[in-house]
Amino acid sequence: MSTSVNGAGVAIVSEAVCEQIVGRPEAFKAVESVFGAMARGDAYNFPVVREAIGHADALYGFKSGFDRAGMVLGVKSGGYWPGNVQKDLTNHQSTVILFDPDTGRLKALVGGNYLTAVRTAAASAVSIAYLARKDAKVLGMVGAGHQSTFQLRAALEQRAFEKVVAWNPHPEYLSRLAAVCDELRVPFEAVDQQQLGAQADVIITITSAFEPLMMKEWIKPGTHIACMGTDTKGKQEVDPELLAAATLFTDEVAQSISIGEAQHAVASGLISESDITPIGEVINGTHPGRRDDQEITLFDGTGVGLQDLAVASAAANLALEQGLALRIAL
Ligand code: NAD
């Protein structure tokens, strides 16, 4: 049996195998590398399709792209089925399909649910690694849903954080974050939004909000904020004035201004597209990133298809190397 993703047959990599073999370091490396490739013009995302299908209240779509540097071509397909929770299934469902860029042949089918969570956590972790102050001590979490514990674990590995403060519109979910902090022996405190801004050196927002949850005047100079929840038109997590005051970075500028957190500040004329830098430029060393300890940096993490393809490709390669992929001829 071939152990190469370019070998004969289609590799099938299950959700369970993805969980077993793609950890935070692998996801971080894949996402960091593809952000760098995007900023060099070596990798690009194709237009996103997202449609209400008129059945089961579902939103279904595709995110696809090509990374010429990593030779990864493919599509993540899936969406949101709100009724799944009653069926004991995750509401967000996705599968990644990888193709051979040289021939167009189907190479791999990879479960995308767990990988979406780790690639999203890796994006905010990459932003912290490159943009937060080195002496950051307090991590602030806004949001306590499914994604939040993934973001928390990945963020805690980026700096010597001594405390986590958290706020969520539904306080009953905060116990999830407290449990992770307990496990990792990091002090945890539930606070209100103003206290969170006053204490945190790094803030991650990961909610489904449609209105600002954090105001500019609550944020300390020198804070790094990763806004990760806004991935659709109309969603919003922070005050547009905060974007006007911050140095702005994103995964992809086109998504940041259309479906990301920057959509509102752009629409109200507070900032323009040219104020936003792809984080890949910082990764590649063509932008200095944070300039001083007083600057507020903000990463608008909108979630691009190339992130999904990057982690799925890592999963397929690792699964084949370790004999964990099912291989079938099509
Ligand atoms: P979830 O449904 O498990 O949790 C939702 C979170 O938002 C909870 O903290 C909840 O209390 C809060 N919330 C719900 N409704 C709200 C409202 N009206 N106002 C304010 N807060 C509200 O979702 P999740 O899987 O944790 O995802 C959180 C967000 O992140 C979603 O918006 C999701 O679309 C987005 N997301 C973004 C990316 C990306 O790449 N940027 C990837 C995955 C998920």
Side-chain angles (χ1 to χ4, degrees):
M1 182 182 288
S2 168
T3 57
S4 157
V5 82
N6 291 315
V10 179
I12 300 183
V13 188
S14 69
E15 286 285 342
V17 168
C18 288
E19 285 195 41
Q20 190 182 330
I21 59 176
V22 180
R24 287 186 293 280
E26 291 80 16
F28 185 103
K29 205 170 140 228
V31 168
E32 178 188 43
S33 163
V34 83
F35 283 167
M38 283 165 61
R40 289 193 307 273
D42 283 341
Y44 48 97
N45 292 288
F46 304 148
V48 174
V49 173
R50 197 163 156 89
E51 294 288 331
I53 61 171
H55 175 74
D57 283 334
L59 284 174
Y60 169 72
F62 327 115
K63 280 186 168 183
S64 61
F66 177 44
D67 175 2
R68 197 183 297 114
M71 286 304 271
V72 180
L73 174 70
V75 54
K76 174 166 102 164
S77 180
Y80 184 72
W81 276 258
N84 276 6
V85 71
Q86 281 91 42
K87 299 173 186 160
D88 225 10
L89 292 170
T90 315
N91 287 351
H92 292 273
Q93 290 291 329
S94 64
T95 307
V96 180
I97 308 167
L98 298 175
F99 299 95
D100 178 350
D102 292 324
T103 62
R105 206 173 44 83
L106 176 62
K107 285 196 345 186
L109 294 175
V110 185
N113 294 350
Y114 163 77
L115 290 181
T116 299
V118 284
R119 67 78 149 146
T120 305
S124 53
V126 166
S127 86
I128 295 167
Y130 282 93
L131 296 170
R133 289 193 337 258
K134 295 280 180 273
D135 64 348
K137 293 278 180 285
V138 179
L139 173 63
M141 293 293 303
V142 176
H146 170 73
Q147 254 313 128
S148 65
T149 56
F150 290 91
Q151 308 299 134
L152 173 61
R153 286 179 190 275
L156 285 173
E157 291 169 349
Q158 307 311 318
R159 292 290 183 269
F161 288 111
E162 293 172 356
K163 184 180 177 187
V164 172
V165 291
W167 176 83
N168 191 50
H170 308 99
E172 63 276 17
Y173 299 160
L174 286 171
S175 56
R176 278 187 181 144
L177 299 175
V180 172
C181 289
D182 205 31
E183 178 197 321
L184 301 175
R185 298 181 192 282
V186 182
F188 174 86
E189 191 185 349
V191 293
D192 66 28
Q193 291 140 284
Q194 287 96 322
Q195 286 168 340
L196 191 145
Q199 290 196 48
D201 303 309
V202 172
I203 298 173
I204 297 176
T205 61
I206 183 74
T207 70
S208 316
F210 281 81
E211 66 204 350
L213 303 176
M214 294 299 294
M215 304 310 288
K216 173 183 161 258
E217 56 272 22
W218 302 340
I219 306 297
K220 293 189 296 188
T223 301
H224 172 66
I225 307 157
C227 293
M228 303 303 298
T230 300
D231 54 1
T232 307
K233 209 165 175 48
K235 279 189 185 171
Q236 183 174 19
E237 295 190 291
V238 303
D239 183 359
E241 296 285 353
L242 178 56
L243 280 90
T247 306
L248 301 174
F249 300 87
T250 189
D251 40 24
E252 188 188 79
V253 174
Q255 280 207 167
S256 172
I257 63 171
S258 56
I259 58 166
E261 193 60 40
Q263 62 182 288
H264 308 284
V266 169
S268 54
L270 286 169
I271 62 164
S272 64
E273 186 173 339
S274 59
D275 293 319
I276 311 171
T277 302
I279 195 166
E281 291 189 16
V282 185
I283 293 168
N284 295 338
T286 55
H287 185 285
R290 166 176 294 281
R291 281 183 293 258
D292 61 54
D293 283 356
Q294 295 300 301
E295 186 176 26
I296 294 174
T297 51
L298 187 148
F299 173 68
D300 186 3
T302 65
V304 293
L306 282 169
Q307 281 171 261
D308 298 295
L309 304 187
V311 288
S313 175
N317 287 328
L318 287 166
L320 285 163
E321 270 166 37
Q322 297 175 28
L324 295 170
L326 200 67
R327 191 123 215 187
I328 58 157
L330 205 62

